[in-house]
Amino acid sequence: MDSMFFSQGVFMSRVLVPSKSPYASILGFSRAVKVGNFISVGGTAPIDDNGKNVGINNPAEQTRQCIKTIEIALKEAGATLNDVVRTRMLLTNIDNWKEVAEVRGEYFKDIRPVDTVMQVSKFINPEWLIEIEVDAVVQS
């Protein structure tokens, strides 16, 4: 869904990339939002296209699913993983950081976006071990 808004004397387009998450309609969120050349992808959980949890008790597999979902959202917004400038990895157990970071490195080792890794107490679904957010910038 595209819309226009006025910001700092300039009309900017706002593109919403819908989420396939079963929680999207309840919470009212988009998977990603693109404004100008900036794209923000919200907290992405390890859910497949059918709304099923992936990688139960497996932080690496859950990380791969999150990144796969993020990659699809970025593509719909006109970007790729190479356009990512920041990642945020939220874990329910900080002891999983190394396993998760190794998977992140498979995708981002060459472009080296900034990163934050933090522990949270829990997610909406107790089977989720991780959610990932990213920000990307594309050339105009």
Side-chain angles (χ1 to χ4, degrees):
M1 176 164 94
D2 293 0
S3 63
M4 297 289 285
F5 68 97
F6 193 70
S7 176
Q8 299 178 359
V10 177
F11 280 103
M12 300 187 78
S13 67
R14 179 181 179 101
V15 177
L16 305 179
V17 176
S19 174
K20 295 180 182 176
S21 167
Y23 300 99
S25 62
I26 297 166
L27 297 171
F29 67 87
S30 298
R31 169 63 42 229
V33 175
K34 179 180 182 186
V35 176
N37 63 347
F38 179 80
I39 302 166
S40 185
V41 181
T44 302
I47 302 172
D48 67 16
D49 287 343
N50 299 313
K52 304 285 185 197
N53 293 329
V54 172
I56 307 304
N57 297 318
N58 186 327
E61 190 176 343
Q62 288 196 1
T63 301
R64 281 188 185 86
Q65 179 61 46
C66 292
I67 294 173
K68 176 183 170 185
T69 302
I70 288 166
E71 186 172 31
I72 292 166
L74 287 170
K75 183 177 180 181
E76 290 182 38
T80 71
L81 290 175
N82 288 333
D83 298 309
V84 172
V85 296
R86 179 180 186 87
T87 63
R88 290 173 205 83
M89 299 190 302
L90 294 76
L91 308 172
T92 56
N93 182 348
I94 200 67
D95 293 337
N96 292 333
W97 78 267
K98 187 172 183 183
E99 190 175 354
V100 166
E102 287 173 354
V103 173
R104 180 196 180 274
E106 293 171 16
Y107 294 90
F108 296 110
K109 68 181 176 192
D110 293 332
I111 61 168
R112 303 174 59 101
V114 298
D115 185 45
T116 301
V117 179
M118 65 187 99
Q119 180 171 311
V120 297
S121 61
K122 59 184 173 180
F123 296 115
I124 293 171
N125 187 312
E127 293 179 335
W128 301 345
L129 306 173
I130 186 168
E131 281 194 20
I132 301 175
E133 302 176 345
V134 305
D135 296 323
V137 178
V138 292
Q139 297 298 317
S140 300

